[in-house]
Amino acid sequence: MLCAVLFALVTWQVAAGGPLLALDERLGRAVFRPHTPSVIAEAGADLGAMVPALPVLAAALCWSGWLGHARWRGRRQGDEGAPPGARPRWWLPPLVAVAAMTAVPALVVPLKLWIARPGPLGPAENYGWYPSGHAATAAVAYGAALLLLLPHLRRALVRRTAVVCVVLLNLWVGAGLVRRGYHWPLDVVGSWFLCGLLLWGVACAVRWSTASRDTGEAPEAGADPEGGTDPEGGTDPEGGTDPDTGADPKTGADPKTGADPDTGTAPDSREN
């Protein structure tokens, strides 16, 4: 919800020409260096293009899907001590990640056409510069890839390192876009807020899939969850009686007549 509120605030300031817009353009002109060659800034801006971002996401989709399916098959066969009746939801996070990536152009392009904000290098034909498509592509592609792979990374240090690398990568992309004059700072920040909503959906799918995999339990073999009887021993765990004959499994006596199954006589007749 916080990302939605911040995105609405930034979009309102850009569309209405609010006071935040003047500060944004002043900061952008201070950072913008069109005549200074910067290989690092240009490389960062290029990382937000479809060509490097989509293959990274595709590789993460394939890897996480393969690991999730393999783990589910192992659990069905009783491996790792997991219940064989767990429902397969390994496909959910990759599916939501693909939907989030597909939503990027579906959301960014109409906003560009509607707001039509001129860029640092001047207005563009038929569309504007807010929000940044490159920043949105990088945020969703690399962010979704991280969320898909985190459940499969066992060491905490590796997970923390991966998170830091993805955050720094997106900062590099945003700084490169502003430095080279392709976008204003608010173009990049607005894209990050918008993509925060999309990545929240991917995170929820990953959490739901992981929780269902870890907490899914099936009844133990040989136990009837309703009647409380053991199919192998045929005994009632509470009453200790045979559910078919009603006999006591320890003495073998009939609970109604008290007859001994070996002699067929009741205790009173043996005394007389």
Side-chain angles (χ1 to χ4, degrees):
M1 291 299 296
L2 179 60
C3 288
V5 172
L6 293 176
F7 175 71
L9 176 62
V10 172
T11 303
W12 167 60
Q13 286 291 300
V14 173
L20 194 60
L21 190 65
L23 296 176
D24 175 56
E25 293 180 356
R26 189 180 308 169
L27 177 61
R29 292 189 183 97
V31 178
F32 178 36
R33 294 292 182 271
H35 304 294
T36 303
S38 177
V39 178
I40 297 177
E42 188 67 29
D46 291 340
L47 288 175
M50 291 285 187
V51 175
L54 289 185
V56 172
L57 178 59
L61 288 170
C62 295
W63 189 25
S64 64
W66 177 76
L67 290 176
H69 184 261
R71 182 170 296 180
W72 171 70
R73 289 190 62 182
R75 287 174 175 268
R76 284 196 64 186
Q77 298 172 359
D79 293 346
E80 303 178 2
R87 293 182 179 180
R89 291 173 182 168
W90 57 269
W91 45 267
L92 183 61
L95 180 63
V96 177
V98 171
M101 193 70 243
T102 306
V104 169
L107 295 174
V108 170
V109 173
L111 286 170
K112 284 177 174 287
L113 295 175
W114 172 49
I115 298 177
R117 184 189 187 186
L121 299 176
E125 294 184 7
N126 302 326
Y127 66 93
W129 296 94
Y130 178 87
S132 170
H134 278 61
T137 300
V140 173
Y142 303 134
L146 172 67
L147 293 174
L148 291 174
L149 299 180
L150 277 180
H152 305 288
L153 302 178
R154 298 183 177 180
R155 295 185 178 181
L157 178 61
V158 176
R159 292 195 297 269
R160 287 194 293 267
T161 303
V163 172
V164 171
C165 289
V166 171
V167 171
L168 292 178
L169 180 61
N170 279 277
L171 291 176
W172 183 16
V173 172
L177 292 172
V178 176
R179 174 77 175 181
R180 299 301 296 161
Y182 300 137
H183 283 285
W184 299 106
L186 278 185
D187 300 344
V188 176
V189 175
S191 294
W192 286 344
F193 290 149
L194 176 62
C195 295
L197 296 173
L198 301 177
L199 293 177
W200 175 77
V202 179
C204 289
V206 172
R207 189 181 303 112
W208 185 32
S209 176
T210 304
S212 63
R213 182 189 66 201
D214 294 339
T215 61
E217 295 180 359
E220 297 182 358
D224 184 359
E226 297 182 358
T229 58
D230 186 357
E232 296 180 359
T235 59
D236 184 357
E238 296 181 357
T241 59
D242 190 339
D244 296 330
T245 63
D248 188 347
K250 296 181 179 180
T251 63
D254 189 344
K256 296 181 180 180
T257 63
D260 189 343
D262 297 331
T263 62
T265 59
D268 297 338
S269 61
R270 288 198 300 266
E271 292 176 359
N272 298 330

